[in-house]
Amino acid sequence: MRSKSTASSIRSKILDPLRNFKHVRVVVPEWDSATVIVRALSAGDWLEYRRRAVQQVEDARVAAGLTPQSDEGHSESDLQVFSTPLYALVLARTLFEPPGLRIFTDEDVAELTEAYSPVHDRLVATALELSGVTLDPASDPVAEAGNG
């Protein structure tokens, strides 16, 4: 039989938000050379990203006078999708401060969207790269999520 301290040690390793995912430490010169940890997206993060991407496309369709779901005869490429909130979600889900505490919650996405800058974009690109996604600068995260 295992002791509680051994089980607790294993439990903490299993549940560690960084140990089980690719991650890197990044020095951000624009933030007084603060060090942050950028982690790959988890399966739950991807599900929430996809859910929000679908909602963004549906909202754009309604704004364009279309039905929320795709129908024949209309091009999705003509839609105006505001993708910054999706990137802000990625940032909220993947940005940690040492020793591994998440900096933002999902409730912070609106505030992150307002503050979003090229600095944030670099960190999101790192998170996506760690997650196995490569985006060219002209690509759309909605299309990358398979919703375009």
Side-chain angles (χ1 to χ4, degrees), residues 33-128:
S33 296
T35 297
V36 296
I37 300 169
V38 180
R39 186 196 76 188
L41 290 158
S42 70
D45 298 336
W46 277 117
L47 287 173
E48 183 61 15
Y49 178 95
R50 181 167 172 76
R51 185 190 71 74
R52 290 184 187 212
V54 167
Q55 186 62 55
Q56 289 282 64
V57 171
E58 288 176 358
D59 291 349
R61 291 185 57 72
V62 169
L66 304 171
T67 61
Q69 281 74 39
S70 182
D71 54 355
E72 295 297 319
H74 292 92
S75 171
E76 298 286 319
S77 64
D78 295 335
L79 296 178
Q80 296 295 316
V81 177
F82 183 48
S83 57
T84 303
L86 295 172
Y87 287 138
L89 173 70
V90 170
L91 191 66
R93 292 284 182 104
T94 62
L95 198 61
F96 292 75
E97 62 182 320
L101 304 171
R102 194 168 147 191
I103 298 171
F104 299 104
T105 67
D106 288 0
E107 288 75 35
D108 296 316
V109 170
E111 191 173 1
L112 284 167
T113 299
E114 289 296 318
Y116 201 83
S117 71
V119 176
H120 301 102
D121 207 42
R122 284 195 323 259
L123 297 169
V124 168
T126 300
L128 293 174

